[in-house]
Amino acid sequence: MMVHKAYKYRIYPNPEQWQLIHRMFGCCRFVFNHFLIKWNETYAARFYAFMEDGAERKPGLILLSIMGSNTELSHRIKGDTD
């Protein structure tokens, strides 16, 4: 059986070190948020391009358009009876 150990550390920075720590975390937060926005913009652009172009125009996604338009199959899966 593997035993995991944890250590807690507490630091007591002086005012100059405190300012540097805050600046470092501020920069990290800025970089993370910047690339998160880029990631979301790329995802949204691709998703909405897919929705506008339609799945049938993209060769690898033909199955999605076939399955999406097949209402009989979806009714059978849901258990609906007509």
Side-chain angles (χ1 to χ4, degrees):
M1 176 179 209
M2 186 177 216
V3 177
H4 297 281
K5 292 183 180 181
Y7 297 97
K8 285 187 176 183
Y9 294 97
R10 175 134 188 184
I11 59 172
Y12 299 97
N14 62 31
E16 183 183 348
Q17 292 169 333
W18 187 258
Q19 185 181 16
L20 290 172
I21 291 170
H22 276 276
R23 188 178 299 162
M24 181 192 64
F25 282 115
C27 290
C28 292
R29 186 172 46 248
F30 174 79
V31 170
F32 177 82
N33 288 336
H34 173 76
F35 285 104
L36 180 63
I37 289 169
K38 293 291 184 189
W39 178 275
N40 288 336
E41 288 172 353
T42 303
Y43 172 78
R46 289 183 181 175
F47 177 76
Y48 291 120
F50 168 74
M51 295 302 286
E52 290 172 2
D53 292 344
E56 60 274 2
R57 295 187 188 169
K58 300 191 184 293
L61 302 174
I62 292 176
L63 179 63
L64 293 178
S65 65
I66 293 171
M67 295 304 288
S69 64
N70 192 348
T71 56
E72 180 183 345
L73 179 62
S74 64
H75 286 289
R76 285 185 185 177
I77 292 172
K78 292 178 185 176
D80 295 340
T81 57
D82 291 331

